Amino acid sequence: MLDTSRDPVPASTDAPGEEARGCLYALSQPPLMIFLGVIGCLLLVAAVHDLFVL
Protein backbone atom coordinates (compact mmCIF):
# COMPACT_ATOMS: atom_id res chain seq x y z
CA MET A 1 0.00 0.00 0.00
CA LEU A 2 1.25 3.46 -0.80
CA ASP A 3 2.41 5.46 2.22
CA THR A 4 0.81 8.90 1.98
CA SER A 5 1.77 10.17 5.43
CA ARG A 6 3.45 13.55 5.76
CA ASP A 7 5.92 12.37 8.39
CA PRO A 8 9.60 12.79 7.49
CA VAL A 9 11.25 9.59 6.33
CA PRO A 10 14.11 8.59 8.64
CA ALA A 11 17.47 8.19 6.96
CA SER A 12 18.30 4.55 6.41
CA THR A 13 21.49 3.71 8.25
CA ASP A 14 23.04 0.35 8.92
CA ALA A 15 22.77 -0.96 12.42
CA PRO A 16 26.02 -0.43 14.32
CA GLY A 17 26.39 -4.18 14.92
CA GLU A 18 26.35 -5.08 11.23
CA GLU A 19 29.57 -5.23 9.26
CA ALA A 20 29.82 -4.43 5.57
CA ARG A 21 29.94 -7.62 3.53
CA GLY A 22 32.36 -7.58 0.65
CA CYS A 23 33.66 -9.80 -2.09
CA LEU A 24 35.03 -12.52 0.18
CA TYR A 25 31.61 -12.99 1.76
CA ALA A 26 30.05 -13.33 -1.69
CA LEU A 27 32.66 -15.89 -2.76
CA SER A 28 31.93 -17.99 0.33
CA GLN A 29 28.40 -18.71 -0.87
CA PRO A 30 28.04 -22.27 -2.25
CA PRO A 31 25.75 -21.49 -5.23
CA LEU A 32 28.17 -18.88 -6.54
CA MET A 33 31.15 -21.20 -6.14
CA ILE A 34 29.30 -24.01 -7.94
CA PHE A 35 28.45 -21.65 -10.80
CA LEU A 36 32.03 -20.38 -11.05
CA GLY A 37 33.35 -23.95 -10.91
CA VAL A 38 31.10 -25.04 -13.78
CA ILE A 39 32.12 -22.03 -15.90
CA GLY A 40 35.79 -22.68 -15.09
CA CYS A 41 35.47 -26.34 -16.10
CA LEU A 42 33.81 -25.38 -19.37
CA LEU A 43 36.62 -22.93 -20.13
CA LEU A 44 39.23 -25.56 -19.26
CA VAL A 45 37.60 -28.17 -21.50
CA ALA A 46 37.39 -25.67 -24.36
CA ALA A 47 41.06 -24.72 -23.93
CA VAL A 48 42.23 -28.35 -23.82
CA HIS A 49 40.10 -29.13 -26.86
CA ASP A 50 41.63 -26.24 -28.81
CA LEU A 51 45.17 -27.22 -27.83
CA PHE A 52 45.13 -31.00 -28.26
CA VAL A 53 42.29 -31.97 -30.58
CA LEU A 54 42.57 -31.48 -34.31
Side-chain angles (χ1 to χ4, degrees):
M1 186 170 168
L2 183 61
D3 184 16
T4 58
S5 64
R6 302 269 182 194
D7 297 333
V9 178
S12 63
T13 58
D14 292 335
E18 291 186 25
E19 297 178 10
R21 295 180 175 171
C23 184
L24 290 178
Y25 175 77
L27 286 177
S28 69
Q29 302 305 307
L32 178 62
M33 291 307 294
I34 292 170
F35 172 74
L36 292 177
V38 168
I39 297 299
C41 286
L42 290 173
L43 289 173
L44 179 65
V45 167
V48 168
H49 180 271
D50 285 344
L51 288 174
F52 299 115
V53 178
L54 297 175

